[in-house]
Amino acid sequence: MRTNRSVVLAAFALVAACSEPQIVTRAPEEVTLKDNVHGGSHGRWALRPDGILSIEVNSVVGDCTLKDFLITPLDKTGESRQSTYRRQQPDTNDGTLATANILTNARTLEVQARYVHTVLVSSGTKTEPPRPAAKAGSGDDIVGPDTLVNDYHFDHADFSYTSEGPGGASAYVASESSKFGSSGHITVRWYYNEDSFVHYKWSIYATGPCDSSPF
């Protein structure tokens, strides 16, 4: 049985067309770029031939590092439709420039580049015991803030100690706040023997948005 060649060619063309990437025909008419580093991101956007919106920003601004993008469609009045916002990680980031490729049908779109930095939230020194003791002793100290706000979280703590006296003394970090928790304290455990002292110092750091305070 002979096959109609025109039918075969038509079927092949249909399959090829279906396999091609689908073009987004409803491209954004207006894109507003924002950041939380006073414009330091130097954001720019372009619409690719395949209909995808490409955003490019600086990876680092001062001591702030890009975390992600907050993408919010806007209604006709320019108000945010918060129920439809989403967060997106950079698609590429070489340490100098970062890009996000956004597929959207929104007519008006707001894209905010969100940067974070790490700041000192507590530091100090302490001596145990505070005066000479006739016998050994031990205890715990909790140092640092109990609560961090504005989406800040505990990052890390630096700690060191020195001992003094013939009896021997020591201190160490027995526990610390959760890496992504809203507390910023650590527990220092110390002990000493007769006529000995331990001097310890700490620095606690938290990471959070560059446009807000952890307190």
Side-chain angles (χ1 to χ4, degrees), residues 93-157:
N93 190 342
D94 63 5
T96 301
L97 293 175
T99 62
N101 298 315
I102 302 168
L103 183 63
T104 179
N105 283 325
R107 285 298 196 191
T108 307
L109 200 67
E110 179 181 285
V111 180
Q112 183 186 46
R114 304 197 311 160
Y115 292 78
V116 296
H117 61 172
T118 301
V119 297
L120 179 69
V121 294
S122 177
S123 64
T125 61
K126 194 172 182 181
T127 297
E128 292 290 351
R131 49 188 170 273
K135 59 181 181 179
S138 62
D140 292 335
D141 291 328
I142 298 177
V143 297
D146 289 331
T147 303
L148 301 169
V149 299
N150 296 324
D151 204 26
Y152 273 80
H153 60 82
F154 174 84
D155 188 89
H156 72 280

Side-chain angles (χ1 to χ4, degrees), residues 126-128 160-164 169-171 197-201:
K126 194 172 182 181
T127 297
E128 292 290 351
S160 63
Y161 79 91
T162 58
S163 59
E164 182 181 351
S170 183
F197 300 85
V198 60
H199 312 284
Y200 68 85
K201 62 181 179 179

